[in-house]
PDB file of all heavy atoms in Angstrom:
ATOM      1  N   ARG A  76      -8.398   2.950  15.557  1.00 88.00           N
ATOM      2  CA  ARG A  76      -7.331   3.854  15.917  1.00 88.00           C
ATOM      3  C   ARG A  76      -7.092   4.868  14.731  1.00 88.00           C
ATOM      4  O   ARG A  76      -6.783   5.964  14.912  1.00 88.00           O
ATOM      5  CB  ARG A  76      -6.045   3.050  16.127  1.00 88.00           C
ATOM      6  CG  ARG A  76      -4.810   3.878  16.479  1.00 88.00           C
ATOM      7  CD  ARG A  76      -5.026   4.525  17.859  1.00 88.00           C
ATOM      8  NE  ARG A  76      -3.845   5.360  18.138  1.00 88.00           N
ATOM      9  CZ  ARG A  76      -3.864   6.576  18.567  1.00 88.00           C
ATOM     10  NH1 ARG A  76      -5.015   7.205  18.760  1.00 88.00           N
ATOM     11  NH2 ARG A  76      -2.718   7.241  18.811  1.00 88.00           N
ATOM     12  N   LEU A  77      -7.115   4.447  13.465  1.00 88.00           N
ATOM     13  CA  LEU A  77      -6.972   5.257  12.355  1.00 88.00           C
ATOM     14  C   LEU A  77      -8.019   6.297  12.271  1.00 88.00           C
ATOM     15  O   LEU A  77      -7.713   7.460  11.996  1.00 88.00           O
ATOM     16  CB  LEU A  77      -6.908   4.444  11.109  1.00 88.00           C
ATOM     17  CG  LEU A  77      -5.664   3.618  10.837  1.00 88.00           C
ATOM     18  CD1 LEU A  77      -5.959   2.655   9.656  1.00 88.00           C
ATOM     19  CD2 LEU A  77      -4.518   4.577  10.407  1.00 88.00           C
ATOM     20  N   ILE A  78      -9.310   5.922  12.519  1.00 85.00           N
ATOM     21  CA  ILE A  78     -10.410   6.895  12.503  1.00 85.00           C
ATOM     22  C   ILE A  78     -10.144   7.896  13.581  1.00 85.00           C
ATOM     23  O   ILE A  78     -10.383   9.138  13.367  1.00 85.00           O
ATOM     24  CB  ILE A  78     -11.707   6.198  12.699  1.00 85.00           C
ATOM     25  CG1 ILE A  78     -12.065   5.299  11.381  1.00 85.00           C
ATOM     26  CG2 ILE A  78     -12.861   7.254  12.899  1.00 85.00           C
ATOM     27  CD1 ILE A  78     -13.229   4.400  11.599  1.00 85.00           C
ATOM     28  N   GLN A  79      -9.756   7.509  14.784  1.00 86.00           N
ATOM     29  CA  GLN A  79      -9.452   8.413  15.858  1.00 86.00           C
ATOM     30  C   GLN A  79      -8.322   9.384  15.496  1.00 86.00           C
ATOM     31  O   GLN A  79      -8.432  10.560  15.739  1.00 86.00           O
ATOM     32  CB  GLN A  79      -9.066   7.628  17.179  1.00 86.00           C
ATOM     33  CG  GLN A  79      -8.696   8.517  18.337  1.00 86.00           C
ATOM     34  CD  GLN A  79      -8.255   7.616  19.557  1.00 86.00           C
ATOM     35  OE1 GLN A  79      -8.161   6.426  19.426  1.00 86.00           O
ATOM     36  NE2 GLN A  79      -7.940   8.320  20.594  1.00 86.00           N
ATOM     37  N   LEU A  80      -7.269   8.904  14.968  1.00 84.00           N
ATOM     38  CA  LEU A  80      -6.084   9.722  14.585  1.00 84.00           C
ATOM     39  C   LEU A  80      -6.549  10.620  13.428  1.00 84.00           C
ATOM     40  O   LEU A  80      -6.158  11.915  13.508  1.00 84.00           O
ATOM     41  CB  LEU A  80      -4.935   8.886  14.043  1.00 84.00           C
ATOM     42  CG  LEU A  80      -4.086   8.236  15.011  1.00 84.00           C
ATOM     43  CD1 LEU A  80      -3.165   7.094  14.387  1.00 84.00           C
ATOM     44  CD2 LEU A  80      -3.326   9.112  15.899  1.00 84.00           C
ATOM     45  N   TRP A  81      -7.329  10.230  12.564  1.00 82.00           N
ATOM     46  CA  TRP A  81      -7.810  11.090  11.501  1.00 82.00           C
ATOM     47  C   TRP A  81      -8.635  12.319  12.062  1.00 82.00           C
ATOM     48  O   TRP A  81      -8.391  13.472  11.824  1.00 82.00           O
ATOM     49  CB  TRP A  81      -8.707  10.355  10.525  1.00 82.00           C
ATOM     50  CG  TRP A  81      -9.094  11.093   9.294  1.00 82.00           C
ATOM     51  CD1 TRP A  81     -10.095  12.001   9.194  1.00 82.00           C
ATOM     52  CD2 TRP A  81      -8.467  11.099   7.975  1.00 82.00           C
ATOM     53  NE1 TRP A  81     -10.194  12.521   7.909  1.00 82.00           N
ATOM     54  CE2 TRP A  81      -9.121  11.894   7.077  1.00 82.00           C
ATOM     55  CE3 TRP A  81      -7.300  10.328   7.388  1.00 82.00           C
ATOM     56  CZ2 TRP A  81      -8.741  12.175   5.821  1.00 82.00           C
ATOM     57  CZ3 TRP A  81      -7.002  10.545   6.154  1.00 82.00           C
ATOM     58  CH2 TRP A  81      -7.714  11.446   5.265  1.00 82.00           C
ATOM     59  N   ARG A  82      -9.482  11.917  12.944  1.00 82.00           N
ATOM     60  CA  ARG A  82     -10.342  12.921  13.703  1.00 82.00           C
ATOM     61  C   ARG A  82      -9.536  13.919  14.444  1.00 82.00           C
ATOM     62  O   ARG A  82      -9.735  15.172  14.396  1.00 82.00           O
ATOM     63  CB  ARG A  82     -11.432  12.242  14.452  1.00 82.00           C
ATOM     64  CG  ARG A  82     -12.431  13.314  15.091  1.00 82.00           C
ATOM     65  CD  ARG A  82     -13.548  12.601  15.955  1.00 82.00           C
ATOM     66  NE  ARG A  82     -12.924  11.783  17.003  1.00 82.00           N
ATOM     67  CZ  ARG A  82     -13.315  10.405  17.086  1.00 82.00           C
ATOM     68  NH1 ARG A  82     -14.235   9.912  16.405  1.00 82.00           N
ATOM     69  NH2 ARG A  82     -12.780   9.797  18.080  1.00 82.00           N
TER      70      ARG A  82
END
Side-chain angles (χ1 to χ4, degrees):
R76 181 70 180 130
L77 286 166
I78 292 168
Q79 179 184 1
L80 284 170
W81 187 279
R82 184 177 54 229

